Amino acid sequence: MKKLILLSSALVVALSGCGKKETSTSEPSGGGGKSVSVGFSQIGAESAWRTANSQSIKDEAQKRGIKLVFSDAQQKQENQIKALRSFIAQNVDVIAFSPVVETGWEPVLQEIKQAGIPVILTDRAVDVSDPSLYATFIGSDFVEEGRRAAQWLADKTGGKAQIAELVGTPGSAPALDRKKGFEEVLAKYPDMKIIKSQSGDFTRAKGKEVMESFLKAPDAKQITALFAHNDDMALGAIQAMEEAGVKPGSEITIVSIDGVKAAFEAMTAGKLNCTVECNPLIGPQLFDSIDAVLAKKDLPRRIVVQEGVFDQSKAAAELPNRKY
Ligand code: AHR
């Protein structure tokens, strides 16, 4: 049966032509015995956060002498599904992936289950009815990140703000959850309102483009704050504000999420007010979980990454410590 599934998966992969880039393979550093192989399907390279996340995973595989088949889906779910099928065809020991959106994974996860390959989710969750389709999910609490951003803004503005929101990729877990957490806190502050909201797809270029359109709108002057679902979009928006003659960080208070180095630099320059940390350096936790899954040890269903909140008052001291 397993052979049949492998054969049909190989056929699907061969026929599909694979639009994704299966770029890097970290080979084991040597030694005897059968080496462990892991297939990892990454979303893309849309942000500085994502680049740091990919590097953390590649570095850890290299360090542990694990064969990593790494595939970049260029932010397309169909490319991720092709990659997952190609991992089945290659009969890897474990499959891990960071799903670009929450829904649409059940059929391919069922194929992986039938092939007897354990799955670990990283960074983003999936919406599936069968909980046995993955062993564990390692990632941040995105709802809490949204809450922290809103609470910081409420404290900073005394509960008064007309907010423009730059939303992440539509249908993605961080976009849905950060919005949910942010609005949950906003509900306690009647004078804080989201007056504009649009997706900037988690990229700097799109964040800039959408902010430009917000600033051209007839009611642009009403915007007193910006909530960007990630630092890259906030950094693009800062550029748009400066080009439009608006002072980021003073005329418009800006809070975003991730905590990348460039965000700390923007804070020390007074252009960004606060970043809520979302830690991408989860390579060690991923490979610890892979070890556990292969040793048939019990794993918690959810492994939450610990994170903090940094505003301008902490930025200069923290900048030299930032690893991503
Ligand atoms: O899923 C994590 C989010 O994805 C990060 O906040 C963002 O920068 C990335 O693209």
Side-chain angles (χ1 to χ4, degrees):
M1 181 63 182
K2 185 166 174 181
K3 262 194 196 143
L4 222 145
I5 292 162
L6 290 180
L7 206 73
S8 68
S9 300
L11 207 69
V12 169
V13 171
L15 291 176
S16 64
C18 283
K20 81 230 178 286
K21 283 199 290 180
E22 205 162 271
T23 44
S24 95
T25 303
S26 306
E27 291 295 347
S29 48
K34 187 197 173 290
S35 65
V36 170
S37 62
V38 174
F40 186 86
S41 166
Q42 181 59 287
I43 291 171
E46 75 282 5
S47 60
W49 188 100
R50 186 70 49 203
T51 307
N53 179 246
S54 296
Q55 201 53 51
S56 169
I57 290 161
K58 288 176 185 173
D59 288 350
E60 198 60 27
Q62 182 86 27
K63 200 166 123 193
R64 299 187 188 210
I66 287 177
K67 182 182 177 205
L68 178 70
V69 187
F70 186 93
S71 184
D72 175 339
Q74 295 161 19
Q75 278 187 282
K76 291 200 173 73
Q77 183 176 33
E78 74 243 39
N79 287 345
Q80 286 204 285
I81 292 173
K82 281 175 194 165
L84 297 178
R85 292 200 168 119
S86 113
F87 298 154
I88 302 175
Q90 292 172 62
N91 199 19
V92 297
D93 297 299
V94 179
I95 291 176
F97 75 112
S98 181
V100 61
V101 290
E102 277 192 340
T103 55
W105 300 102
E106 197 120 13
V108 72
L109 286 174
Q110 289 290 359
E111 289 169 38
I112 299 173
K113 186 178 172 184
Q114 280 171 41
I117 302 173
V119 170
I120 295 178
L121 300 176
T122 65
D123 168 33
R124 299 184 183 181
V126 293
D127 184 2
V128 289
S129 55
D130 178 355
S132 74
L133 292 176
Y134 62 92
T136 188
F137 163 41
I138 307 165
S140 305
D141 183 341
F142 296 138
V143 179
E144 181 56 25
E145 290 171 352
R147 286 190 200 112
R148 288 177 181 170
Q151 195 55 60
W152 180 86
L153 191 60
D155 295 344
K156 174 79 180 170
T157 61
K160 279 194 177 57
Q162 301 278 309
I163 306 159
E165 180 186 29
L166 284 170
V167 180
T169 302
S172 70
L176 297 167
D177 291 354
R178 287 171 184 167
K179 187 172 184 57
K180 185 174 166 210
F182 192 82
E183 288 180 348
E184 195 182 296
V185 173
L186 241 54
K188 296 190 245 162
Y189 296 90
D191 292 331
M192 289 178 82
K193 294 249 174 322
I194 296 176
I195 57 167
K196 300 203 171 299
S197 179
Q198 204 176 312
S199 172
D201 213 10
F202 282 129
T203 68
R204 199 184 272 225
K206 206 69 202 302
K208 178 171 187 268
E209 189 186 307
V210 176
M211 192 70 219
E212 278 166 358
S213 74
F214 286 168
L215 292 172
K216 279 186 193 137
D219 58 348
K221 289 240 161 357
Q222 288 179 21
I223 303 171
T224 62
L226 172 71
F227 168 43
H229 286 200
N230 80 344
D231 289 340
D232 277 68
M233 291 190 294
L235 294 164
I238 287 172
Q239 219 183 317
M241 288 179 205
E242 287 183 317
E243 285 173 16
V246 174
K247 285 199 188 80
S250 48
E251 284 179 89
I252 296 182
T253 304
I254 308 172
V255 57
S256 61
I257 296 179
D258 277 355
V260 301
K261 244 187 210 147
F264 280 81
E265 284 159 3
M267 281 196 287
T268 54
K271 297 178 181 182
L272 176 75
N273 301 84
C274 179
T275 184
V276 174
E277 191 177 36
C278 178
N279 184 2
L281 308 178
I282 56 179
Q285 276 174 299
L286 169 61
F287 286 97
D288 284 349
S289 303
I290 288 170
D291 284 350
V293 119
L294 290 173
K296 308 243 179 286
K297 287 190 191 145
D298 279 343
L299 271 174
R301 288 289 296 160
R302 178 84 171 88
I303 301 172
V304 181
V305 181
Q306 297 306 312
E307 292 148 348
V309 176
F310 299 91
D311 65 9
Q312 286 181 353
S313 66
K314 299 178 192 155
E318 176 62 16
L319 183 55
N321 307 327
R322 297 312 289 174
K323 294 196 175 64
Y324 61 96

